[in-house]
Amino acid sequence: MTIDVTPVSGSLGGLVSGVDLCDLDDARFGAVEEALWRLQVLVFRDQYLAIDDHLALGRRFGPLHTHPAVAGVEGHPEVLRLRNLGKEKTITQVWHSDVSCEREPPSISILRAVEVPPAGGDTLWANQYAALERLSPGLRAILAPLRALHRGFGLEATHPVLRTHPETGRQALYVNGGFTYAFEGMTERESRPLLDYLVGLGSSLDLTMRHTWAPGDVVMWDNRCVMHYAIHDYDDAPREMHRVTVCGEAPV
Ligand code: SIN
């Protein structure tokens, strides 16, 4: 089974057409998974998922994750509601991998546009396989044995800096600006310059894709090999997104 997928940038991401996310037989779902492992981020237009459809789609990938700190929509703790609370309170305007402060961080995130601002509110994703490939052999050898500390929402975990993807077997850079704060065995001050360098490199514009949201859009991404960043450039305009996140494994 093949599905129609058009690349959306030179580095990662694909726009999938001709697929109804509420009506995916096993063959089509397999093709979606294959495209996700290959392209890391998939965009679907005109889906208008109900909450139950969104949950059912997430469960095709595995058990659903419940956010450790942010309440879900009423009656559905696995559906995270991300509303505009004003720029000062935005927690997603930073390059991050979802909830990497957990020992077993989520694998797949599926975000659905519920209400979009009249302009702005785009999301960016960055390819962390390609970020790793961009490092010199010397720096890669230094990073290979290192683990990094991630904290947030009152949680803390250590993960390898180079993470092997369980589906593709490829290695990706796995540090981010939202949660990673030090390398194991080093102070925060010692760690900061290299962490800043790695997150900066990992978010180089030519490693990114950008999505401008419209009602009905659904975007799914693989937190094990991308970082993402939600741009808050819409003042107090309403923006509401619902996110369903799939439980992941301890990074190796
Ligand atoms: C997220 O960081 O998971 C949400 C991204 C967005 O609101 O665009």
Side-chain angles (χ1 to χ4, degrees):
M1 165 66 64
T2 55
I3 50 171
D4 189 0
V5 188
T6 314
V8 298
S9 84
S11 188
L12 78 168
L15 173 65
V16 182
S17 41
V19 164
D20 177 355
L21 289 174
C22 295
D23 184 22
L24 274 182
D25 60 21
D26 286 347
R28 272 210 167 66
F29 179 71
V32 167
E33 269 192 323
E34 182 282 321
L36 184 59
W37 305 155
R38 188 163 43 86
L39 293 163
Q40 306 165 252
V41 181
L42 295 179
V43 177
F44 303 80
R45 298 273 195 193
D46 299 321
Q47 298 292 325
Y48 302 100
L49 301 185
I51 286 179
D52 284 344
D53 300 325
H54 196 181
L55 288 165
L57 176 63
R59 287 195 182 104
R60 298 293 291 270
F61 288 95
L64 298 184
H65 171 266
T66 300
H67 198 280
V70 183
V73 307
E74 193 155 343
H76 300 286
E78 310 98 329
V79 181
L80 184 67
R81 175 187 275 131
L82 294 158
R83 293 173 63 82
N84 183 9
L85 299 172
K87 193 170 174 75
E88 294 311 310
K89 294 191 181 152
T90 298
I91 57 169
T92 51
Q93 188 176 244
V94 59
W95 282 106
H96 65 286
S97 174
D98 284 329
V99 210
S100 71
C101 51
E102 289 194 343
R103 278 189 337 115
E104 297 182 344
S107 52
I108 310 304
S109 294
I110 305 173
L111 193 65
R112 165 172 96 85
V114 175
E115 186 169 15
V116 298
D122 294 1
T123 309
L124 300 167
W125 289 265
N127 181 343
Q128 299 310 290
Y129 292 135
L132 179 55
E133 282 160 15
R134 201 161 274 194
L135 297 178
S136 65
L139 182 51
R140 220 170 143 147
I142 290 169
L143 296 177
L146 292 186
R147 296 178 67 82
L149 286 78
H150 300 238
R151 73 175 165 216
F153 307 120
L155 301 173
E156 173 135 0
T158 58
H159 300 306
V161 172
L162 309 189
R163 176 176 190 177
T164 303
H165 194 287
E167 300 292 340
T168 65
R170 297 179 67 192
Q171 270 198 326
L173 187 59
Y174 192 65
V175 292
N176 67 79
F179 298 105
T180 318
Y181 70 95
F183 296 103
E184 198 171 54
M186 300 186 201
T187 65
E188 287 187 47
R189 194 162 168 207
E190 288 165 342
S191 305
R192 181 51 48 203
L194 182 53
L195 277 177
D196 285 348
Y197 173 74
L198 294 173
V199 175
L201 177 96
S203 54
S204 303
L205 288 181
D206 59 347
L207 300 183
T208 67
M209 62 161 274
R210 178 169 179 152
H211 183 64
T212 300
W213 294 92
D217 285 356
V218 172
V219 179
M220 58 177 71
W221 66 89
D222 188 336
N223 288 294
R224 299 168 291 191
C225 55
V226 300
M227 293 193 292
H228 59 287
Y229 183 109
I231 302 172
H232 195 305
D233 56 353
Y234 44 91
D235 295 326
D236 293 325
R239 181 181 189 271
E240 180 164 328
M241 315 295 277
H242 286 184
R243 193 180 82 198
V244 162
T245 314
V246 181
C247 292
E249 57 286 316
V252 289

